[in-house]
Amino acid sequence: MGGAVSAGEDNDELIDNLKEAHYIHSDLVERAFRAIDRADYYLEEYRDSAYKDLAWRHGNIHLSAPCIYSEVMEALDLHPGLSFLNLGSGTGYLSTMVGLILGPFGVNHGVELYADVIEYAYQKLDYFIKTSESFDKFEFCEPSFVAGNCLEIPPESRQYDRVYCGAGVQRDHEEFMKNLLKVGGILVLPLEEKLTKIRRTGQSSWETKKIIAVSFAPLALPQHNTNGEPKTVPLPMFEVRTLQELARIAIRHTLRVTTDNGEGQPRGQGSFGGGRGLGVSGLHKYGPRFKRRRVHRRHCTSVVLAHKRVVNNADPTPAPLDNNNNNHGGQEDGQRRAAREEEEEAEKETGELLPAEPPINILRERILCLPLPEPLKMYLLYCREK
């Protein structure tokens, strides 16, 4: 299933194509998609196919087409603090994107049939947390996965605000899926070859909307134990965060959203627990993608050297996000203007696309400047290497 949009050269171009085709239309979903490179969830030898709008399968590992994930993310209508259950969680790609929106006080659970796929998902999750620059731009709800058949979840299990099923569901199991929802919750699933959105409006009332035609492998039916008794799959626990974890969340949030103007005033309105729209989910004010410069090959060296001179002459202290009282502003503005003029001159000639360098990780720089022992700094950084 897929092929609805053109392939991209990279993750950003794929997202651009999904937006142009109106599969992605909300800023929240766009930023989550841009934050996670789809190719990171492919095996190395198949990365060249990652930016095509096609599903991919290798053994038990499976990824749906990007257009399908886009429709699912938009239909789920995600907000910070919600609880989410992913049935057939697979590589964890969707669960990780959802976690970027849910924020630190959401719940992010997944059930996957194959234990080897869960191991693969945790490897990819660890890689994202340890290496991705996007991690520090969000307040993250880390997913938890359990192995088993989702049809063996006990009927008395807790209910969720949002549920997604990544396998084809027949009418026989529709009621089972609906009962996993809280009142007011949303269920998205492939129901009889149609991606369907179901909202629970009351204890026994529902609103149903067909989204697009899809083709999914059917749900695997449960297998009984040797004694004839049905198996049960316990869902992950709803864990209460420790005081230590809450302190880390609060410190990172404060360093992320406050200015460095000497007054300690927060940027924007609202407190840590208040409604800040995108800010609650930890979304940076940075644009969704960085502009790429057109630079002719023969100008490449001089542009890079000019950039290095700008960096080396600048004050090594990390710049605050919204500080307008920089004493060196005039000199640095002149240097930046000169570099920009040189780039614009080079852009007049046709040449190669060179990626712009990403901005400084302000959160990381602020943590490293704190008067704390190194082990505490590394804890605040989630032990991430630079």
Side-chain angles (χ1 to χ4, degrees), residues 21-331:
H22 304 291
Y23 284 100
I24 294 176
H25 48 80
S26 68
D27 288 342
L28 203 60
V29 170
E30 178 189 349
R31 294 185 186 187
F33 267 90
R34 292 197 190 277
I36 300 176
D37 194 327
R38 179 177 168 90
D40 290 341
Y41 288 79
Y42 277 63
L43 295 171
E44 190 64 34
E45 59 268 33
Y46 297 99
R47 285 179 67 94
D48 290 345
S49 302
Y51 307 122
K52 298 176 181 177
D53 187 31
L54 297 172
W56 173 71
R57 179 180 293 279
H58 182 82
N60 292 329
I61 302 170
H62 175 260
L63 280 166
S64 293
C67 67
I68 300 298
Y69 284 133
S70 304
E71 293 281 11
V72 169
M73 288 283 286
E74 293 287 0
L76 285 170
D77 190 21
L78 296 162
H79 303 289
L82 294 178
S83 57
F84 172 66
L85 177 62
N86 189 353
L87 304 175
S89 50
T91 64
Y93 172 65
L94 178 68
S95 292
T96 302
M97 284 196 293
V98 169
L100 297 177
I101 298 176
L102 296 183
F105 302 115
V107 173
N108 194 355
H109 292 167
V111 179
E112 169 55 43
L113 187 60
Y114 302 105
D116 61 322
V117 178
I118 289 183
E119 183 180 351
Y120 184 86
Y122 275 124
Q123 289 173 0
K124 296 303 180 182
L125 176 63
D126 185 64
Y127 179 82
F128 170 73
I129 293 174
K130 292 295 194 296
T131 67
S132 175
E133 286 294 326
S134 299
F135 181 78
D136 285 333
K137 299 176 186 177
F138 294 81
E139 290 166 3
F140 186 47
C141 181
E142 188 172 330
S144 298
F145 308 111
V146 295
N149 189 310
C150 65
L151 295 175
E152 297 173 331
I153 296 172
E156 66 276 7
S157 296
R158 283 196 180 183
Q159 296 173 321
Y160 290 78
D161 297 303
R162 301 291 185 267
V163 178
Y164 170 66
C165 180
V169 179
Q170 298 303 312
R171 290 288 178 187
D172 293 348
H173 299 119
E174 182 182 359
E175 287 301 316
F176 174 85
M177 297 291 174
K178 287 179 175 180
N179 288 329
L180 295 171
L181 272 185
K182 295 179 180 179
V183 173
I186 294 174
L187 166 66
V188 179
L189 75 170
L191 182 62
E192 294 187 330
E193 305 299 312
K194 295 282 187 181
L195 189 65
T196 305
K197 176 179 179 178
I198 300 174
R199 184 187 296 273
R200 187 168 195 171
T201 57
Q203 287 297 334
S204 56
S205 57
W206 317 83
E207 291 179 355
T208 301
K209 176 184 177 182
K210 304 293 185 182
I211 303 174
I212 54 171
V214 292
S215 178
F216 276 69
L219 277 173
L221 296 178
Q223 296 180 352
H224 290 275
N225 288 321
T226 52
N227 60 6
E229 294 294 325
K231 299 178 182 177
T232 58
V233 176
L235 291 170
M237 297 292 292
F238 280 65
E239 296 181 357
V240 177
R241 291 189 179 273
T242 65
L243 184 59
Q244 179 174 303
E245 291 173 326
L246 292 173
R248 174 166 62 179
I249 291 168
I251 292 170
R252 285 173 61 91
H253 176 88
T254 301
L255 292 175
R256 183 184 289 110
V257 302
T258 55
T259 63
D260 193 15
N261 57 9
E263 300 174 1
Q265 296 299 319
R267 183 182 58 173
Q269 298 177 350
S271 63
F272 179 49
R276 290 175 47 87
L278 298 181
V280 174
S281 59
L283 291 170
H284 260 215
K285 199 175 178 180
Y286 300 142
R289 65 179 300 184
F290 307 118
K291 181 182 178 183
R292 295 188 294 173
R293 301 171 291 166
R294 264 191 200 281
V295 182
H296 196 271
R297 181 183 295 276
R298 63 189 179 87
H299 286 279
C300 181
T301 304
S302 61
V303 171
V304 173
L305 290 176
H307 179 72
K308 284 183 178 177
R309 286 198 296 272
V310 172
V311 173
N312 290 338
N313 289 341
D315 189 341
T317 306
L321 288 176
D322 298 311
N323 191 348
N324 296 320
N325 301 320
N326 190 345
N327 294 330
H328 304 289
Q331 179 183 356

